[in-house]
């Protein structure tokens, strides 16, 4: 079933160069946050990505982080698979009154861009939100129910949920940083494609 899901994603016709290019830029920004120590890599359930892995990202050069970032999916996460969380947040988006304009740190700036990107891809048809962000259908529908003016009020509260996607999968992150550090395009491409299998596995029904 994993292969079938990956195959269907590979045939998705709505993934434009602009959409993938913007995602690459966001991935690069996220890796830069990790390298600068601006992201604590906390995951939604409170676990931490190994400090050793975060350190590996910090050892990559800017060019190596840019190469690692060229994945057809997000390397970051904002609880996009948590339908309950986003259902509550977006259902009452117009009622939140969080003054976030004074928050100008790098993490908040990144989350502002990431939320706009999520809203943009969720507003389109097809599998974009699922493939690129790991977003479930219910969450994508909830994002389609708000306007862009609702996004700024979400930045401060959602910034605490910023995490590395598959942060507990040390095999993936070890392989990604190792291939990027050795500047081996073929090996890096193989690791990046492996991420599609992780994304597909996350969508399989749980036993």
């Amino acid at each position: 079933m994993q292969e079938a899901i990956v195959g269907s994603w590979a045939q998705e016709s709505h993934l434009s160069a602009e959409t993938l290019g913007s995602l690459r830029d966001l991935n690069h920004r996220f890796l830069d946050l990790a390298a600068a120590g601006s992201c604590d890599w906390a995951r939604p359930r409170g676990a931490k990505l190994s400090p050793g892995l975060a350190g590996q990202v910090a050892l990559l050069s800017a060019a190596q982080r840019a190469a690692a970032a060229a994945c057809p999916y997000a390397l970051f996460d904002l609880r996009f698979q948590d339908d309950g969380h986003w259902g509550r947040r977006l259902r009452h988006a117009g009622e939140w009154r969080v003054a976030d304009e004074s928050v100008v740190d790098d993490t908040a700036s990144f989350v502002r861009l990431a939320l706009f990107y999520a809203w943009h891809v969720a507003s389109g048809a097809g599998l974009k939100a699922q493939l690129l962000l790991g977003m479930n259908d219910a969450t994508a529908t909830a994002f389609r129910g708000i306007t862009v003016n609702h996004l700024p009020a979400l930045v401060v509260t959602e910034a605490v949920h910023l995490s590395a996607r598959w942060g507990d999968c040390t095999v993936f992150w070890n392989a990604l940083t190792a291939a990027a550090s050795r500047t081996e395009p073929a090996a890096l491409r193989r690791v990046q494609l492996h991420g599609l299998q992780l994304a597909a596995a996350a969508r399989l029904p749980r036993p």
Side-chain angles (χ1 to χ4, degrees):
M1 186 177 292
Q2 268 192 32
E3 290 78 7
I5 295 175
V6 171
S8 67
W9 281 347
Q11 296 171 19
E12 173 63 51
S13 61
H14 301 290
L15 298 180
S16 67
E18 292 79 10
T19 296
L20 291 173
S22 294
L23 183 61
R24 177 199 61 215
D25 291 346
L26 281 172
N27 282 339
H28 193 180
R29 282 175 175 262
F30 178 72
L31 295 179
D32 285 347
L33 283 178
S38 299
C39 174
D40 65 7
W41 299 83
R43 295 195 302 121
R45 291 182 175 81
K48 302 283 185 178
L49 182 70
S50 163
L53 290 182
Q56 289 175 33
V57 174
L59 290 175
L60 298 176
S61 68
Q64 289 167 340
R65 291 196 297 274
C71 300
Y73 46 78
L75 291 174
F76 58 90
D77 188 44
L78 284 167
R79 296 181 68 170
F80 288 128
Q81 289 190 323
D82 190 339
D83 291 341
H85 172 77
W86 281 109
R88 290 187 299 273
R89 294 293 286 120
L90 298 175
R91 186 164 52 248
H92 303 291
E95 300 173 12
W96 292 84
R97 295 291 183 270
V98 179
D100 71 313
E101 293 306 316
S102 62
V103 180
V104 293
D105 62 42
D106 291 339
T107 299
S109 296
F110 174 82
V111 171
R112 184 176 290 107
L113 289 174
L115 287 174
F116 178 80
Y117 183 83
W119 174 81
H120 175 71
V121 298
S123 66
L127 299 171
K128 286 192 294 185
Q130 293 93 320
L131 168 59
L132 300 176
L133 301 170
M135 188 181 289
N136 291 329
D137 292 340
T139 297
T141 299
F143 265 97
R144 286 194 291 272
I146 66 170
T147 68
V148 69
N149 286 339
H150 291 123
L151 297 178
L154 300 170
V155 172
V156 170
T157 54
E158 299 313 310
V160 299
H161 300 303
L162 179 63
S163 66
R165 195 171 182 186
W166 312 307
D168 54 355
C169 185
T170 56
V171 172
F172 170 77
W173 282 99
N174 272 327
L176 183 68
T177 55
S181 68
R182 293 193 298 266
T183 316
E184 296 180 2
L188 183 57
R189 181 62 175 165
R190 286 195 296 272
V191 177
Q192 290 168 331
L193 291 176
H194 175 60
L196 290 176
Q197 295 178 313
L198 294 176
R203 298 191 60 79
L204 292 175
R206 297 190 181 278

